[in-house]
Amino acid sequence: MADKIDLQKMRAKVEGINTLPTLPSTLRQISVMLEKPRLTMDEIARFITNDPALTTKVLKMVNSAAYGFPGRISSVSHAIMLLGLNVIRGLLLGISVFELMQKNMAGLWEHSLSCAVSARCIAQQKKMKEPEEVSICALLHDIGKAIVMLQYPAEYEQILGKAEKLGISLYDAEKKLLAATHAEVGLWLAQKWRFPPNLVEAIGFHHQPQSARQAPLETSIVHVSDILVRARGVGFAGDYFVPAVHPAAWDMLRLSDEEIRTVLIQVEDSVSSGEEN
Ligand SMILES: [Fe+2]
Ligand SMILES: [Fe+2]
């Protein structure tokens, strides 16, 4: 790559994503909707049910193992009631962005869904109040990869090649070759779309959980889930590297062997049931 892309230019291009003509109209509409400071349940339910394909996908997702109500949610309004607005917002974004990326990086969707299953399981073990929200943090943690791939396809291709050649993580290759990593890019968008603070931090700091201030627990869960899923070889996150878990995240979660085993079993069950795809 000739020159590193200028950071300000990169940020402006990433943040301008909802004006891109190449984006599918659903994602564009979702971006516009997420800009609204107050979004009501009725508005979001109407938006989803107006689009039969989207309705099907939302119902498929909420009935999958990732959300813990397998086969029990039959309507969009029921889904919103059970899971809450924030979860549904994240879900919509996940569905549209990852669909877009599936063409470019086979396996990233599986990686993300498996992380969502793992994060929900850990959140339950740690008796957190909203395990589904933690699951959405994990579902969207690599959203920056989708965005960079979309905005800088040629550069990202080189970065993927570099990571593979050098046997380093995609994150480290990005640090070498890009002005910002996928975590930072995700953070910009999460802030711009006014995601709740736990989601912003989990996306922005999933590779450096010690930096999270408002949501260290959620961020640590996403960080550990990312690594557990990589270690288990489920999906593909752009590289074959399995990084070490940051000690701050280990200390925060203190997962027992039994708890880790349970997480891995749930991840494998959700993959083998095939209901996620
Ligand atoms: Fe990542
Ligand atoms: Fe990841």
Side-chain angles (χ1 to χ4, degrees), residues 39-69:
L39 187 63
T40 65
M41 289 208 183
D42 274 356
E43 276 175 299
I44 205 159
R46 221 174 312 127
F47 174 81
I48 299 170
T49 45
N50 272 342
D51 181 338
L54 192 60
T55 304
T56 313
K57 282 176 201 143
V58 167
L59 289 178
K60 208 170 154 191
M61 279 289 294
V62 296
N63 281 302
S64 76
Y67 296 96
F69 306 101

Side-chain angles (χ1 to χ4, degrees), residues 2 7 16 26 40 58 63 84 108 126 130 135 146 152 184 188 216 247:
L7 181 67
T26 313
T40 65
V58 167
N63 281 302
L108 190 50
K126 297 297 146 194
E130 307 283 358
S135 154
Y152 298 99
E184 286 170 272
W188 297 339

Side-chain angles (χ1 to χ4, degrees), residues 108 111-112 115 138 141-142 145 182 206-207 226-227 230 237:
L108 190 50
H111 169 74
S112 305
C115 287
H141 76 281
D142 276 337
K145 284 181 190 166
H182 68 272
H206 69 273
H207 289 284
D226 183 35
I227 294 170
R230 284 163 173 272

Side-chain angles (χ1 to χ4, degrees), residues 71-92:
R72 282 162 37 202
I73 303 179
S74 55
S75 75
V76 169
S77 49
H78 190 193
I80 297 175
M81 246 163 53
L82 275 175
L83 296 173
L85 214 49
N86 281 337
V87 172
I88 296 294
R89 270 160 63 127
L91 197 74
L92 281 180

Side-chain angles (χ1 to χ4, degrees), residues 120-127 255 258-260 262-263:
R120 185 174 152 271
C121 181
I122 297 175
Q124 282 176 328
Q125 286 168 336
K126 297 297 146 194
K127 311 248 180 307
L255 290 170
E258 189 51 41
E259 286 175 324
I260 294 176
T262 308
V263 172

